[in-house]
Amino acid sequence: AATMQVGLLLAGHDLWPYAERAFDQAAVLGKPFPEALAYLGLARDKQGKDGSAPMEQAFALAPDNAQVLYLLGLHRRSVYDYAGSLDNFVNAVAADTTNPAYAAELSTAYRLVGDLENAEKWLKTAVTLSNDDPRFQELLSAFYADLNNN
């Protein structure tokens, strides 16, 4: 839907109040539109509001949707539920094994729970899945730099 695309464009420019409106509209028009609901929750989170309700609604509608699981993982991380976030990212990667962003976020989730071995493994996986995209290579380099500084 066009409103979803507008919301993603606004989110890409960190215009979260406007993105929230677009995602809300997309969720209403798509009734139900789990991805729009999840992005609505993210937009609320990014503004310091509570994004829990639309996130949980999105998850209830689409518990196996990789994008919903990914966004729910980001939400749970934002409220310091690192174990819940890890579960969501594990499930997002299982639902979409080809997305390097999901693998990179899974790496971060492992790092936040203190599992550096799996954090490294999933960052390497993200680099591979991205066909050595420099953005993911930078994440891996930063990971090693952090390890060497601690």
Side-chain angles (χ1 to χ4, degrees):
T3 51
M4 184 70 176
Q5 295 306 314
V6 168
L8 292 170
L9 182 67
L10 291 165
H13 292 285
D14 290 328
L15 298 169
W16 293 108
Y18 302 105
E20 178 184 1
R21 286 185 174 171
F23 293 135
D24 187 42
Q25 191 67 24
V28 169
L29 293 173
K31 56 182 168 192
F33 191 170
E35 293 90 344
L37 285 165
Y39 272 107
L40 173 60
L42 179 69
R44 292 185 58 77
D45 287 343
K46 292 289 188 176
Q47 298 172 78
K49 300 177 182 178
D50 183 3
S52 299
M55 284 288 184
E56 294 302 331
Q57 190 179 357
F59 181 68
L61 290 168
D64 298 324
N65 180 300
Q67 192 170 34
V68 168
L69 289 162
Y70 166 78
L71 293 166
L72 184 55
L74 292 176
H75 166 71
R76 290 204 167 128
R77 181 184 297 157
S78 76
V79 296
Y80 308 103
D81 177 6
Y82 297 139
S85 176
L86 175 61
D87 287 344
N88 292 131
F89 288 122
V90 164
N91 291 327
V93 166
D96 182 352
T97 59
T98 64
N99 191 318
Y102 296 175
E105 291 297 346
L106 178 55
S107 168
T108 299
Y110 274 118
R111 190 172 183 178
L112 289 170
V113 298
D115 185 343
L116 297 180
E117 186 176 325
N118 272 312
E120 178 185 24
K121 171 189 158 190
W122 284 102
L123 261 182
K124 287 180 175 179
T125 300
V127 169
T128 301
L129 289 173
S130 74
N131 293 316
D132 299 320
D133 183 310
R135 294 171 296 180
F136 293 100
Q137 295 232 356
E138 276 182 38
L139 290 174
L140 185 59
S141 296
F143 175 81
Y144 289 132
D146 283 352
L147 282 182
N148 290 333
N149 289 331
N150 289 330

